[in-house]
Amino acid sequence: MKEMIVKVCGMRDGENIREVAELGVQWIGMIFWDKSPRNVTMIPTYAGIIPDRSPLNPQSSAEVSQPSTLNPQRTAEVTQHSTLNTQHSSPLRVGVFVDEMPQNIITRVVNFKLDLVQFHGNESPTAIRNLRRTLDPDIRPGIRFIKAISVGCREDIDAYKQYEDCIDYFLFDTRSPSVGGSGEHFDWSLLDAYDGDKPFLLSGGIGPDDAGRVLAFHHPRCIGIDLNSRFETAPGIKDTQKLKQFLDQL
Protein backbone atom coordinates (compact mmCIF):
# COMPACT_ATOMS: atom_id res chain seq x y z
CA MET A 1 0.00 0.00 0.00
CA LYS A 2 2.90 2.36 -0.62
CA GLU A 3 0.90 4.42 -3.11
CA MET A 4 -2.39 4.73 -1.27
CA ILE A 5 -3.88 6.08 1.96
CA VAL A 6 -6.01 3.46 3.69
CA LYS A 7 -8.63 4.82 6.09
CA VAL A 8 -10.40 2.31 8.30
CA CYS A 9 -13.53 3.98 9.61
CA GLY A 10 -16.23 3.24 12.18
CA MET A 11 -13.86 2.15 14.95
CA ARG A 12 -14.63 2.42 18.65
CA ASP A 13 -12.89 -0.35 20.60
CA GLY A 14 -9.43 0.57 21.92
CA GLU A 15 -7.86 -2.88 21.56
CA ASN A 16 -9.32 -3.35 18.07
CA ILE A 17 -7.97 0.07 17.09
CA ARG A 18 -4.50 -0.95 18.25
CA GLU A 19 -4.70 -4.20 16.26
CA VAL A 20 -5.74 -2.38 13.09
CA ALA A 21 -3.08 0.29 13.62
CA GLU A 22 -0.44 -2.45 13.66
CA LEU A 23 -1.44 -3.40 10.12
CA GLY A 24 0.05 -0.12 8.92
CA VAL A 25 -3.10 1.73 7.86
CA GLN A 26 -2.66 5.47 7.59
CA TRP A 27 -5.95 6.86 8.99
CA ILE A 28 -8.34 5.60 11.69
CA GLY A 29 -11.90 6.96 11.57
CA MET A 30 -14.12 7.35 14.64
CA ILE A 31 -17.80 8.25 14.24
CA PHE A 32 -19.31 10.79 16.62
CA TRP A 33 -22.99 10.52 15.73
CA ASP A 34 -25.46 9.09 18.19
CA LYS A 35 -27.63 7.50 15.49
CA SER A 36 -24.77 5.29 14.31
CA PRO A 37 -24.24 1.80 15.77
CA ARG A 38 -20.54 2.71 15.63
CA ASN A 39 -20.93 5.87 17.69
CA VAL A 40 -18.01 6.72 19.97
CA THR A 41 -19.33 8.12 23.25
CA MET A 42 -17.39 10.50 25.43
CA ILE A 43 -15.38 8.68 28.09
CA PRO A 44 -13.60 9.96 31.22
CA THR A 45 -10.18 9.34 29.70
CA TYR A 46 -9.05 8.60 26.17
CA ALA A 47 -5.64 7.30 27.28
CA GLY A 48 -4.61 4.30 25.22
CA ILE A 49 -7.41 4.43 22.67
CA ILE A 50 -4.72 4.81 20.01
CA PRO A 51 -0.97 4.39 20.58
CA ASP A 52 0.42 7.61 22.03
CA ARG A 53 2.25 9.99 19.74
CA SER A 54 3.04 13.65 19.52
CA PRO A 55 0.71 15.96 17.54
CA LEU A 56 1.19 16.07 13.79
CA ASN A 57 4.42 17.91 13.08
CA PRO A 58 5.43 18.01 9.41
CA GLN A 59 8.95 19.06 10.40
CA SER A 60 9.55 15.79 12.24
CA SER A 61 7.29 13.41 10.34
CA ALA A 62 8.17 10.50 8.11
CA GLU A 63 6.42 9.96 4.82
CA VAL A 64 4.35 6.82 4.38
CA SER A 65 4.94 6.51 0.67
CA GLN A 66 8.19 6.09 -1.16
CA PRO A 67 8.77 7.40 -4.69
CA SER A 68 7.16 5.23 -7.31
CA THR A 69 7.56 4.99 -11.05
CA LEU A 70 4.03 3.56 -11.39
CA ASN A 71 2.09 6.70 -10.53
CA PRO A 72 4.38 9.57 -9.50
CA GLN A 73 1.58 12.15 -9.36
CA ARG A 74 -0.54 10.16 -6.92
CA THR A 75 2.51 9.12 -4.89
CA ALA A 76 3.52 12.75 -4.46
CA GLU A 77 0.05 13.58 -3.16
CA VAL A 78 0.01 10.68 -0.73
CA THR A 79 3.36 11.65 0.76
CA GLN A 80 2.07 15.20 1.16
CA HIS A 81 -1.19 14.21 2.88
CA SER A 82 -0.32 11.08 4.87
CA THR A 83 2.58 11.90 7.19
CA LEU A 84 3.06 9.77 10.30
CA ASN A 85 5.09 10.24 13.45
CA THR A 86 8.55 8.71 13.07
CA GLN A 87 8.74 7.21 16.54
CA HIS A 88 5.35 5.49 16.77
CA SER A 89 4.10 5.40 13.15
CA SER A 90 0.55 5.51 14.46
CA PRO A 91 -2.36 6.40 12.19
CA LEU A 92 -3.82 9.85 11.95
CA ARG A 93 -7.17 10.20 13.72
CA VAL A 94 -10.29 11.18 11.80
CA GLY A 95 -13.45 12.28 13.58
CA VAL A 96 -16.65 11.80 11.56
CA PHE A 97 -19.56 14.16 12.29
CA VAL A 98 -23.08 14.57 10.91
CA ASP A 99 -24.53 18.09 11.18
CA GLU A 100 -22.96 18.45 14.62
CA MET A 101 -22.82 21.61 16.72
CA PRO A 102 -19.43 23.33 16.36
CA GLN A 103 -18.73 23.24 20.10
CA ASN A 104 -19.24 19.47 20.20
CA ILE A 105 -16.80 19.04 17.31
CA ILE A 106 -14.24 21.24 19.06
CA THR A 107 -14.61 19.23 22.29
CA ARG A 108 -13.92 15.96 20.50
CA VAL A 109 -11.02 17.39 18.52
CA VAL A 110 -9.39 18.25 21.85
CA ASN A 111 -10.35 15.13 23.83
CA PHE A 112 -9.49 12.63 21.11
CA LYS A 113 -6.58 14.58 19.58
CA LEU A 114 -8.13 14.46 16.14
CA ASP A 115 -5.97 15.22 13.11
CA LEU A 116 -8.84 15.44 10.62
CA VAL A 117 -12.55 16.24 10.77
CA GLN A 118 -14.91 14.56 8.29
CA PHE A 119 -18.26 16.21 7.57
CA HIS A 120 -20.84 13.62 6.56
CA GLY A 121 -24.06 15.64 6.68
CA ASN A 122 -25.42 18.80 5.12
CA GLU A 123 -22.92 21.19 6.67
CA SER A 124 -22.74 24.56 4.96
CA PRO A 125 -19.46 25.89 3.55
CA THR A 126 -19.79 28.91 5.84
CA ALA A 127 -20.04 26.71 8.94
CA ILE A 128 -16.96 24.76 7.83
CA ARG A 129 -14.96 27.94 7.24
CA ASN A 130 -15.93 29.28 10.66
CA LEU A 131 -14.93 26.04 12.35
CA ARG A 132 -11.52 26.09 10.69
CA ARG A 133 -10.92 29.64 11.89
CA THR A 134 -11.82 28.55 15.42
CA LEU A 135 -9.60 25.46 15.45
CA ASP A 136 -6.60 26.57 13.43
CA PRO A 137 -4.19 27.73 14.76
CA ASP A 138 -5.34 28.39 18.32
CA ILE A 139 -6.77 24.96 19.23
CA ARG A 140 -5.51 22.44 16.65
CA PRO A 141 -2.90 23.90 14.29
CA GLY A 142 -2.92 22.32 10.86
CA ILE A 143 -6.14 20.33 11.28
CA ARG A 144 -7.52 19.08 7.97
CA PHE A 145 -11.12 18.79 6.77
CA ILE A 146 -12.85 16.12 4.67
CA LYS A 147 -16.28 16.51 3.07
CA ALA A 148 -18.20 13.37 2.17
CA ILE A 149 -20.24 13.51 -1.02
CA SER A 150 -23.01 10.91 -1.47
CA VAL A 151 -23.16 9.63 -5.04
CA GLY A 152 -26.06 7.96 -6.79
CA CYS A 153 -25.87 9.63 -10.18
CA ARG A 154 -23.49 11.78 -12.18
CA GLU A 155 -25.18 15.02 -11.10
CA ASP A 156 -24.36 14.29 -7.45
CA ILE A 157 -20.67 14.83 -8.17
CA ASP A 158 -21.28 18.54 -8.75
CA ALA A 159 -21.97 19.03 -5.03
CA TYR A 160 -18.20 19.25 -4.50
CA LYS A 161 -18.01 22.68 -6.13
CA GLN A 162 -19.49 24.58 -3.18
CA TYR A 163 -16.96 23.06 -0.77
CA GLU A 164 -13.73 23.14 -2.75
CA ASP A 165 -12.42 26.31 -1.12
CA CYS A 166 -13.07 25.23 2.49
CA ILE A 167 -11.96 21.59 2.73
CA ASP A 168 -8.77 19.62 2.12
CA TYR A 169 -10.19 16.33 0.80
CA PHE A 170 -13.37 14.84 -0.52
CA LEU A 171 -14.69 11.35 0.18
CA PHE A 172 -17.11 9.93 -2.39
CA ASP A 173 -19.54 7.45 -0.84
CA THR A 174 -22.68 5.58 -1.86
CA ARG A 175 -25.94 7.52 -1.60
CA SER A 176 -28.26 5.62 0.73
CA PRO A 177 -31.09 6.25 3.22
CA SER A 178 -28.55 5.84 6.03
CA VAL A 179 -25.51 8.06 6.53
CA GLY A 180 -22.53 5.99 5.42
CA GLY A 181 -21.68 2.41 6.37
CA SER A 182 -24.27 0.98 3.98
CA GLY A 183 -21.89 -1.63 2.57
CA GLU A 184 -23.26 -0.84 -0.91
CA HIS A 185 -21.23 -0.04 -4.02
CA PHE A 186 -21.83 2.82 -6.37
CA ASP A 187 -20.71 3.12 -9.98
CA TRP A 188 -17.17 4.43 -9.64
CA SER A 189 -17.11 5.39 -13.32
CA LEU A 190 -19.34 8.32 -12.31
CA LEU A 191 -16.24 9.89 -10.77
CA ASP A 192 -14.99 10.65 -14.27
CA ALA A 193 -17.17 13.74 -13.81
CA TYR A 194 -15.01 14.97 -10.93
CA ASP A 195 -12.67 17.61 -12.32
CA GLY A 196 -11.84 19.43 -9.09
CA ASP A 197 -8.40 20.16 -7.70
CA LYS A 198 -8.77 18.61 -4.24
CA PRO A 199 -7.70 14.99 -3.72
CA PHE A 200 -10.30 12.43 -2.69
CA LEU A 201 -10.75 9.06 -1.03
CA LEU A 202 -12.80 6.33 -2.66
CA SER A 203 -15.51 4.74 -0.53
CA GLY A 204 -18.75 2.85 -1.01
CA GLY A 205 -18.95 -0.72 0.24
CA ILE A 206 -15.36 -1.74 -0.44
CA GLY A 207 -15.03 -5.29 0.87
CA PRO A 208 -12.56 -8.18 1.18
CA ASP A 209 -13.20 -9.30 -2.42
CA ASP A 210 -12.73 -5.88 -3.99
CA ALA A 211 -8.93 -5.62 -4.22
CA GLY A 212 -8.98 -6.14 -7.96
CA ARG A 213 -11.72 -3.56 -8.37
CA VAL A 214 -9.73 -1.03 -6.37
CA LEU A 215 -6.58 -1.67 -8.36
CA ALA A 216 -8.47 -1.26 -11.62
CA PHE A 217 -9.81 2.17 -10.63
CA HIS A 218 -7.84 5.15 -11.89
CA HIS A 219 -8.39 8.85 -11.30
CA PRO A 220 -5.61 11.45 -11.06
CA ARG A 221 -7.03 12.94 -7.84
CA CYS A 222 -7.72 9.68 -5.98
CA ILE A 223 -5.22 9.21 -3.16
CA GLY A 224 -6.80 6.48 -1.06
CA ILE A 225 -9.68 4.29 0.02
CA ASP A 226 -12.11 4.18 2.93
CA LEU A 227 -12.99 0.81 4.51
CA ASN A 228 -15.75 0.15 6.99
CA SER A 229 -18.74 -2.15 7.39
CA ARG A 230 -17.76 -5.01 5.10
CA PHE A 231 -14.71 -5.77 7.24
CA GLU A 232 -16.69 -6.05 10.47
CA THR A 233 -17.58 -8.92 12.77
CA ALA A 234 -19.98 -6.55 14.58
CA PRO A 235 -20.68 -2.81 14.26
CA GLY A 236 -17.47 -1.01 15.17
CA ILE A 237 -15.32 -4.18 15.40
CA LYS A 238 -13.04 -4.92 12.46
CA ASP A 239 -11.83 -8.37 11.38
CA THR A 240 -8.08 -7.78 11.36
CA GLN A 241 -7.39 -11.01 9.45
CA LYS A 242 -9.69 -9.95 6.59
CA LEU A 243 -8.09 -6.51 6.58
CA LYS A 244 -4.60 -7.98 6.47
CA GLN A 245 -5.46 -10.29 3.59
CA PHE A 246 -7.03 -7.41 1.66
CA LEU A 247 -4.02 -5.16 2.22
CA ASP A 248 -1.67 -7.98 1.19
CA GLN A 249 -3.58 -8.33 -2.10
CA LEU A 250 -3.18 -4.64 -2.76
Side-chain angles (χ1 to χ4, degrees):
M1 295 304 297
K2 290 184 178 181
E3 294 183 15
M4 191 181 298
I5 292 171
V6 177
K7 172 175 173 274
V8 179
C9 198
M11 305 209 66
R12 55 177 293 167
D13 177 79
E15 183 58 33
N16 193 222
I17 288 174
R18 283 188 285 272
E19 292 171 349
V20 171
E22 289 175 357
L23 298 178
V25 303
Q26 286 78 23
W27 294 359
I28 291 287
M30 294 176 284
I31 297 173
F32 300 96
W33 187 50
D34 58 10
K35 295 182 181 180
S36 171
R38 303 168 183 86
N39 181 44
V40 176
T41 56
M42 291 292 286
I43 51 180
T45 175
Y46 52 83
I49 192 168
I50 298 178
D52 290 337
R53 57 167 173 75
S54 61
L56 180 65
N57 181 355
Q59 298 302 318
S60 62
S61 297
E63 294 178 342
V64 175
S65 303
Q66 300 300 322
S68 168
T69 57
L70 297 177
N71 192 336
Q73 178 181 6
R74 186 172 69 176
T75 299
E77 290 175 348
V78 172
T79 57
Q80 176 185 357
H81 299 295
S82 182
T83 55
L84 300 180
N85 178 268
T86 54
Q87 181 176 358
H88 300 288
S89 296
S90 60
L92 302 187
R93 308 172 190 186
V94 185
V96 180
F97 300 89
V98 180
D99 299 319
E100 186 57 88
M101 295 292 292
Q103 185 55 50
N104 291 338
I105 296 176
I106 293 167
T107 298
R108 283 154 180 79
V109 166
V110 173
N111 286 355
F112 290 87
K113 298 183 179 178
L114 300 180
D115 301 291
L116 302 99
V117 169
Q118 178 176 317
F119 302 97
H120 221 297
N122 297 306
E123 300 86 1
S124 71
T126 298
I128 293 174
R129 292 186 194 100
N130 290 341
L131 183 63
R132 189 189 292 274
R133 282 193 289 266
T134 301
L135 287 169
D136 188 4
D138 295 336
I139 297 174
R140 184 62 176 92
I143 192 163
R144 311 175 202 174
F145 288 171
I146 306 167
K147 181 67 182 80
I149 304 291
S150 297
V151 179
C153 62
R154 188 179 182 89
E155 288 72 24
D156 291 336
I157 305 295
D158 289 340
Y160 85 85
K161 294 177 181 178
Q162 61 181 312
Y163 294 101
E164 195 164 33
D165 69 340
C166 62
I167 59 93
D168 303 287
Y169 313 96
F170 289 108
L171 182 146
F172 291 106
D173 198 3
T174 305
R175 178 174 292 282
S176 67
S178 61
V179 179
S182 68
E184 299 295 327
H185 292 139
F186 72 92
D187 182 0
W188 290 347
S189 69
L190 295 174
L191 292 173
D192 290 344
Y194 177 65
D195 57 359
D197 293 326
K198 294 296 174 69
F200 70 84
L201 270 66
L202 184 65
S203 187
I206 300 174
D209 299 325
D210 289 326
R213 187 167 175 256
V214 169
L215 291 171
F217 177 79
H218 298 286
H219 191 290
R221 306 308 290 169
C222 182
I223 60 168
I225 56 175
D226 178 89
L227 310 177
N228 193 350
S229 60
R230 293 188 64 196
F231 288 91
E232 290 184 333
T233 58
I237 304 298
K238 300 301 186 284
D239 186 323
T240 54
Q241 186 59 36
K242 284 186 178 180
L243 276 170
K244 183 179 186 305
Q245 291 173 352
F246 178 80
L247 298 177
D248 287 345
Q249 290 179 61
L250 291 177

